[in-house]
Amino acid sequence: MRVDRVRLQNFKCYGDADLSLERGVTVVHGINGSGKSTLLEAVFFALYGSKALDDRTLDDVITTGEEEAEVELWFTHDNREYHVERRLKLRGDRATTTKCVLETPTETLEGARDVRREVTELLRMDSSAFVNCAYVRQGEVNKLIHASPSDRQDMIDDLLQLGALEEYRERASDARLGVKTVLDGQREVADNLRQQIETKENEELHERLNGLESRQTEIREEIAHFETQREQARKTRETATEVLKRHEETREEIDRLETEIAELRSKISDTERERKEATERIRELEDEREELGEQRQELLADGDLPVATGAETEVVSDAIADLEDRDDQLRDDLEEAKVAITETTGDIERLRETITEREQTATEAREEAAALAERIETDTEEIDERERKLAELEDRIETERERFADTAVAFGEASKRLEELEADRQQLTDEIGTVTADVRAVKNAIEDGERLLDAGKCPECGQPVEDSPHVDVLEEKREQLDTLETRLEEIDGKRETIDERLEQLERLREAERQVEHLEENRRNVAQLLEEKRDALADRRDQRETVLETAETAAIEADAKRDRIEDLEDDLADHRHTLGEINTERSTIRDHLASLRRVLEIDDRRATLSREIDAARERRENWRTMNDERRETLSGKRERKRDLEEEFDDERVETARTDKHNAETYLKKVDEKLEDLDETLTEVQNAIGATRRELEELEELEKRYETLEARCDRLESLYAEAETLQTTYGSLRSELRQHNVETLERLLNETFELVYQNDSYASIELDGEYRLTVYQKDGETLEPEQLSGGERALFNLSLRCAIYRLLAEGVEGTAPMPPLILDEPTVFLDSGHVTQLVSLVESMRDLGVEQIVVVSHDEELVGAADSLVRVEKNSTSNRSRIERGEPPDAALVSSG
């Protein structure tokens, strides 16, 4: 695998960064805290997402103050190109992944889990394996040495995919135990089936079935006999029932005829009574008709009516129509008079409202003029006050400008000078950080050396003092520490001088800002003064206009009062006309009432004549109806006498006796048949149960045969699982031994290449991954007993050996991720740094396609094929990257 390009946006200390990486050795260089390691963390995060954050959360990778972050990574693996993009967004107080896409040569995957799973399968390592193999993070250079042998074994086994074999062995063991459990269960079931079969065979089921079937035949023959006798009894009962039914029908018909005869006699009597009542009703209607005729004559006798006393209905109707026409005409005149009154009244009211409005307008205008006069006086006073304030601002501006008179800074240049000094101060602060880090490193080296020297060993190589050529190295370190501390004091002094100058410039910059603020206030006051003068002139003009409006409104009100007097005279005339029309209409309404009553009487008399004719016709119809009913009554009396003569009491009594006997027998035979049916059902159930038991016996025998065959197959499967478990365990042991031997060889080659020292003979790695260092004299050392620099080189050699083992693969070379070293020189002095350069050179010569080293050490810059410099802006706290030119010198070896 080769990282081709990484792009960051709002990722930790980077606002927007884009970096392309090439084959060979790339050194990312910069001072401590500039953001170098963040570039490597971005590559790690792009590949594995949240799994690359350890105990941190997604919130931690978004730049402070930003809402979104984005990381894109382009890489080549096995000569195929890939592109992964991750985008984060803050939602409330929690960050979430809004986009995670991996573009492969064949497909596009979306979702954090799918992308991480694909990357793990592609690189053949998860995030933990990536850190243990290819990515040596800052501060973890001694991780493999400090790990226990069991932890080291798990790390390396996982990298070499041996953990999968252990997982397969455990699965085979689980499968073997599962088969054993199932086999025991099946054997227990087979034993139960065999006992059930023996129990059923002892019950003689076939003999029992034959006896039950014979009993079933006997019961069915007995049931057939009783059913024949029951059918004969039913026929006897039906015949007797028919005779009794005919007798009952005749009795019912006689009763019905008696009822109908009584009803006819009652109806004839009721109809005769109604005929008598109708005659009396005709007489009453004729009397009412005569009385209405006399009332009509009295109404027409009134001399004021426009018709004669004996006028016909048509003449009365015509007179009513003439009166209604006149009333309609008067109603129209009345409406016109009312409209005129309403309109005149409305005009008067509107005029009065107008007068009120004009008087109100005049009053408001006079009040507004008085208020404007007061406001004009107030504006005049405010103008005087603002002219005084303007003069005060001029004096304050002159005072602030005089503060620059005794300084070397011209007015307007304080901010620029302040920024220049702040840049100088930041440069000194960065230099203090670098020198402080160097002081800390030298102090740590002195402490390690003194501890070794107290133990009687060389502080440089760990050998006995009498055999070591580096005994004087502690004195050199102390001299180096004195030089660094002297330099640190000089830089501190320069920074204090700059701080004093910064304080003075801060005061001058504040004076500039105060002058700008005062000048802005002066412009605002001058503008407000001009606006106030203009407003004063406008208010004076407005007061004159308001006074003219008041005078005009008063004149208009007087004219409206004169118009109201004229309209009130017209209103009196309209009301007089309205009274005359109402009087005439009252007389017309009286005449119409009398004539309409005459028409009502005529209509009622006509109605009465029709009712009299109808009553006479009904009376005649009732007479005819009674004649017909009397004829029907005579016929029903004759039919009743004929039916009464047909009765035969002896035949009826015989039929009752036969029916009773038949019903008694049917009841008994039904009970007998029910008993036989129940017995038959019991026998049939017993037959069915016996047959089911025979079927169950056959089914049990078949199940027993099937279980025996299954147990045979399970025993064979158990043996196969046991063999598979043993095979995976043996294969894992063989592969681990092979890998341990290869890894031991590669570790010795790598350590000998980078640490050419006569003190150590070899390194041993046993099957449990325990590490032992052999000295030339045969003595052994634990890796923890090596010096700080030696431990770091030893661990890096082990990491590189594991990397080479994985790269060579089990069956040929395998594509590997870049070898990434983050601040590998933390525990190294200058001599060991030179050996680290040799290690990097050797890995490149061995065919590692891409090596990325992050370091602030200048010596490593010389090992770079390409150089990337990282700087951080002290004001914005944002990092930026730029491509540097590597030195022409080739990688140096430790010789």
Side-chain angles (χ1 to χ4, degrees), residues 10 45 50 53 56-63 66-70 87-99:
N10 298 331
F45 177 75
S50 61
L53 301 180
R56 293 169 293 173
T57 64
L58 294 176
D59 305 355
D60 299 327
V61 305
I62 300 179
T63 302
E66 299 295 337
E67 297 289 333
E68 296 181 332
E70 185 176 356
R87 187 175 299 166
L88 308 177
K89 183 177 179 65
L90 276 176
R91 302 185 185 276
D93 57 353
R94 183 171 176 268
T96 57
T97 301
T98 59
K99 182 178 182 181

Side-chain angles (χ1 to χ4, degrees), residues 25 76 244 278 296 353 439 460 583 624 654 676 745 759 767:
V25 179
T76 301
L244 293 173
R296 183 178 189 276
E353 291 175 359
V439 168
E460 176 70 16
T583 301
T624 304
T654 301
L676 291 173
R745 175 180 57 81
S759 300

Side-chain angles (χ1 to χ4, degrees), residues 423-436:
D424 294 342
R425 187 183 186 283
Q426 182 60 42
Q427 185 175 358
L428 289 174
T429 300
D430 294 342
E431 187 174 355
I432 287 172
T434 302
V435 174
T436 300

Side-chain angles (χ1 to χ4, degrees), residues 64-93:
T64 302
E66 299 295 337
E67 297 289 333
E68 296 181 332
E70 185 176 356
V71 178
E72 285 189 88
L73 178 68
W74 289 263
F75 64 92
T76 301
H77 182 75
D78 201 14
N79 296 322
R80 291 185 292 179
E81 296 180 352
Y82 297 83
H83 173 223
V84 61
E85 179 180 3
R86 294 181 185 268
R87 187 175 299 166
L88 308 177
K89 183 177 179 65
L90 276 176
R91 302 185 185 276
D93 57 353

